[in-house]
Amino acid sequence: MSGRMGGLAGVVTGATKGLGRETALLLAEEGASIVGVGRNSGDGRRLEEDSRELAGDIAFVSGDVREEDTSGRAIEVCMERFGRLDIMVANAGILGPETPLHETDTGDFDEVFDVNVRGLFYDCRAAVRAMLEGNGGSIVTVGSILSVAADPMLTSYTATKAA
């Protein structure tokens, strides 16, 4: 790779699986120092191990984006360990139950909303606060085609991605 992210530091939520994991690894491969956030500590340790041969570095913070302090803790680790915050990739998200709207339980909807909307809000708010104190930065929010095209069996997910 080109190392075009060398000297930059950031946070990637939902970094232990799928798109978040690959994003964290790609940023580190390009030279960025990354704090990966996820709920599974075992997957987080594997993420750190898999980054050891890359140009950048990955530190893992265990946490759930539904908890208001998770993003703030991740940013604190980023600032303490890497001295800056340039990038926030708000990637954490869940699909929720595959049920039509009229069969969707309120508690299931609330869980999807709390991760996909409230967690995104917490991520972005914490990042903006830190970036305003520093030299700015970039926030990337990971969306879905289902934010503009409904799936009748993923009504909670579709609604929260549209939000």
Side-chain angles (χ1 to χ4, degrees), residues 3-161:
R4 60 185 171 207
M5 303 298 280
L8 299 178
V11 173
V12 177
T13 65
T16 56
K17 296 198 183 321
L19 186 60
R21 175 182 164 76
E22 295 307 314
T23 299
L25 290 169
L26 179 61
L27 288 169
E29 187 174 347
E30 288 289 346
S33 298
I34 298 298
V35 174
V37 180
R39 294 183 293 176
N40 186 300
S41 295
D43 289 341
R45 283 190 297 279
R46 280 187 286 286
L47 178 66
E48 288 178 324
E49 290 168 11
D50 291 346
S51 73
R52 289 203 176 111
E53 302 298 320
L54 302 177
D57 188 21
I58 297 179
F60 176 71
V61 170
S62 180
D64 188 328
V65 297
R66 292 177 288 189
E67 297 171 6
E68 190 169 358
D69 71 328
T70 296
S71 297
R73 283 187 302 108
I75 290 169
E76 285 177 19
V77 169
C78 189
M79 297 298 290
E80 289 170 6
R81 185 153 176 188
F82 307 126
R84 58 189 300 148
L85 176 72
D86 304 292
I87 307 159
M88 165 59 84
V89 179
N91 170 70
I94 60 172
L95 282 175
E98 293 188 38
T99 57
L101 179 61
H102 66 282
E103 294 177 12
T104 299
D105 177 77
T106 302
D108 290 338
F109 175 82
D110 288 345
E111 180 182 23
V112 177
F113 183 90
D114 285 347
V115 173
N116 295 358
V117 179
R118 191 176 309 277
L120 175 74
F121 166 71
Y122 293 152
D123 292 343
C124 293
R125 182 177 63 181
V128 166
R129 287 175 174 164
M131 289 174 179
L132 286 173
E133 291 178 12
N135 294 318
S138 296
I139 298 174
V140 177
T141 61
V142 177
S144 168
I145 190 64
L146 293 182
S147 68
V148 295
D151 182 325
M153 295 303 288
L154 291 172
T155 56
S156 298
Y157 181 79
T158 299
T160 61
K161 285 301 182 174

